[in-house]
Amino acid sequence: MHITTLNLLKHLSILVVEDDEIARMMIAQGIKPYCEAYYEAKDGLEGLEVFKEHRVDIIVTDIHMPGINGFEMMKEILTLK
């Protein structure tokens, strides 16, 4: 990725919601160093709680997860805005 693009992240907070631990780890390695704040959650319920606490700028989410899926989590988050 071009460094100019990555520099855009330095003023943004990001939440990654992914139930696969290895995928979460790989995403973190790729973008965490460039973000103002980086948060992770292992499922939709945890993602919802992290969002409520931190009100992040960007959410990257898996769709198929235990508990509530990515669509259900985003639907709930949209009611909070």
Side-chain angles (χ1 to χ4, degrees), residues 2-3 8 12 14 17 19 21 23 25 30 32-34 37 41 45 49 60-62 65-67 69 72 75 77-78:
H2 195 275
I3 195 69
L8 295 172
L12 298 173
I14 295 181
V17 185
D19 61 330
E21 184 177 352
M25 186 174 60
K32 186 176 181 179
Y34 302 98
L45 290 173
E49 293 306 312
V60 178
T61 185
D62 188 359
M65 296 180 290
N69 66 40
E72 293 167 332
K75 185 176 177 181
I77 285 172
L78 288 171

Side-chain angles (χ1 to χ4, degrees), residues 13-63:
S13 57
I14 295 181
L15 167 60
V16 173
V17 185
E18 170 60 65
D19 61 330
D20 183 286
E21 184 177 352
I22 294 171
R24 265 195 332 270
M25 186 174 60
M26 298 304 293
I27 294 168
Q29 286 178 351
I31 64 174
K32 186 176 181 179
Y34 302 98
C35 300
E36 179 180 334
Y38 177 87
Y39 305 97
E40 292 181 338
K42 67 181 181 300
D43 58 42
L45 290 173
E46 185 178 347
L48 184 57
E49 293 306 312
V50 171
F51 180 81
K52 286 178 181 177
E53 183 177 344
H54 299 286
R55 298 293 175 143
V56 298
D57 299 307
I58 297 172
I59 300 170
V60 178
T61 185
D62 188 359
I63 295 171

